């Protein structure tokens, strides 16, 4: 994103985490305006996925704000929020939350596809979408963001980011590749390797519908080096006394009471 060529190719960045109800707040922030931190935090506190609710402003957001400060207005990047705009204050019971989750409005892939159609394609723009891999599968259980858009002949280019398997074990010369490297998959040794192998030890647990050569699921693979050199970012643990903790626990208990107990036990005292 910080590469000076990036804003000449991509206009928008769609992120999976972040309540779209607050799109206007985020727009103001990445344009360089002053936005109160508590207003920014609501974007990731009011997530539909409360088990990963966060008080932190993601690094990608501050990076885009910095990039936008150094480019012409027409080159400014926009971050699009891909989560359906749930209104947590209206969710008082588990039944109310379940009804919302079962409604078309809560479908994460359908909502993201709608965002791309409205905010990107209708404006003749290009988007980089950053999502969990399952949202990009072409061999799926029901549907994915990619299958929804490609059914309408919308061209997608999908990339598997490798962080679970040793690719050099699949193709030895990978060990000599520059880090990072992007490799096309169609008709290649890496492309013929089944998706299960790229999941590492967890591959044995993936659904049968996903089990296909990687080239049938993705267009390319991003190589980040041997696994021992890859470090994954972890969110800061919540403080037990954090004012937002009580509301977070209420929300989680509507979904998964046992998880709420674990969150409460693992917070920092």
């Amino acid at each position: 994103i910080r590469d000076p060529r990036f804003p000449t190719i991509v206009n928008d960045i769609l992120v999976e985490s972040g309540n779209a109800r607050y799109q206007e707040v985020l727009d103001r922030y990445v344009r360089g305006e002053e936005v109160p931190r508590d207003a920014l935090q609501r974007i990731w506190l009011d997530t539909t996925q409360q088990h990963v609710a966060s008080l932190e402003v993601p690094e990608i957001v501050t990076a885009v704000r910095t990039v936008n400060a150094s480019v012409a207005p027409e080159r400014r990047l926009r971050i699009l929020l891909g989560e359906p705009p749930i209104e947590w204050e209206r969710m008082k019971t588990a039944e109310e939350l379940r009804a919302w989750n079962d409604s078309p409005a809560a479908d994460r892939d359908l909502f993201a596809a709608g965002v791309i159609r409205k905010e990107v394609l209708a404006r003749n723009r290009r988007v980089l979408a950053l999502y969990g891999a399952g949202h990009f599968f072409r061999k799926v259980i029901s549907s994915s963001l990619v299958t929804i858009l490609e059914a309408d002949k919308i061209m997608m280019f999908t990339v598997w980011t490798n962080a679970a398997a040793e690719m050099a074990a699949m193709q030895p010369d990978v060990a000599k590749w520059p880090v990072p490297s992007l490799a096309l998959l169609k008709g290649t040794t890496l492309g013929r390797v089944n998706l299960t192998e790229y999941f590492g030890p967890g591959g044995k647990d993936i659904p049968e519908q996903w089990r296909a050569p990687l080239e049938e699921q993705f267009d390319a693979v991003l190589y980040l080096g041997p696994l021992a050199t890859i470090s994954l970012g972890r969110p800061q643990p919540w403080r037990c006394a954090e004012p937002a903790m009580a509301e977070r626990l209420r929300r989680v208990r509507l979904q998964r009471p046992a998880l709420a107990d674990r969150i409460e036990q693992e917070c920092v005292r």
Side-chain angles (χ1 to χ4, degrees), residues 186-208:
K186 194 68 174 178
T188 68
T189 298
L190 293 173
R192 288 189 289 271
V193 175
N194 197 281
L195 177 70
T196 57
E197 300 297 318
Y198 285 91
F199 271 87
K204 63 182 184 300
D205 300 322
I206 72 170
E208 187 65 33

Side-chain angles (χ1 to χ4, degrees), residues 80-95:
L80 298 171
L81 297 169
E83 282 196 313
I86 188 172
E87 298 177 21
W88 274 107
E89 66 274 17
R90 299 178 59 183
M91 304 299 159
K92 304 298 184 183
T93 67
E95 290 71 26

Side-chain angles (χ1 to χ4, degrees), residues 26-38:
L26 185 59
D27 285 343
R28 289 193 289 113
Y29 182 75
V30 298
R31 283 198 302 261
E33 298 178 26
E34 292 303 316
V35 176
R37 188 169 182 83
D38 61 343

Side-chain angles (χ1 to χ4, degrees), residues 96-117:
E96 289 174 335
L97 180 58
R98 193 176 303 115
W100 188 85
N101 283 330
D102 290 341
S103 70
D107 188 301
R108 297 167 66 79
D109 290 302
L110 280 175
F111 182 80
V115 171
I116 289 176
R117 289 189 180 101

Side-chain angles (χ1 to χ4, degrees), residues 178-245:
V179 177
S181 287
L182 185 70
L184 296 175
L185 290 168
K186 194 68 174 178
T188 68
T189 298
L190 293 173
R192 288 189 289 271
V193 175
N194 197 281
L195 177 70
T196 57
E197 300 297 318
Y198 285 91
F199 271 87
K204 63 182 184 300
D205 300 322
I206 72 170
E208 187 65 33
Q209 294 92 330
W210 296 356
R211 296 170 181 262
L214 192 66
E215 65 183 356
E216 295 181 16
Q217 292 284 33
F218 288 85
D219 298 306
V221 59
L222 178 62
Y223 174 66
L224 298 175
L227 295 186
T229 67
I230 299 174
S231 60
L232 301 178
R234 303 292 183 189
Q236 292 295 317
W238 278 61
R239 292 183 295 108
C240 301
E242 173 60 49
M245 177 63 91

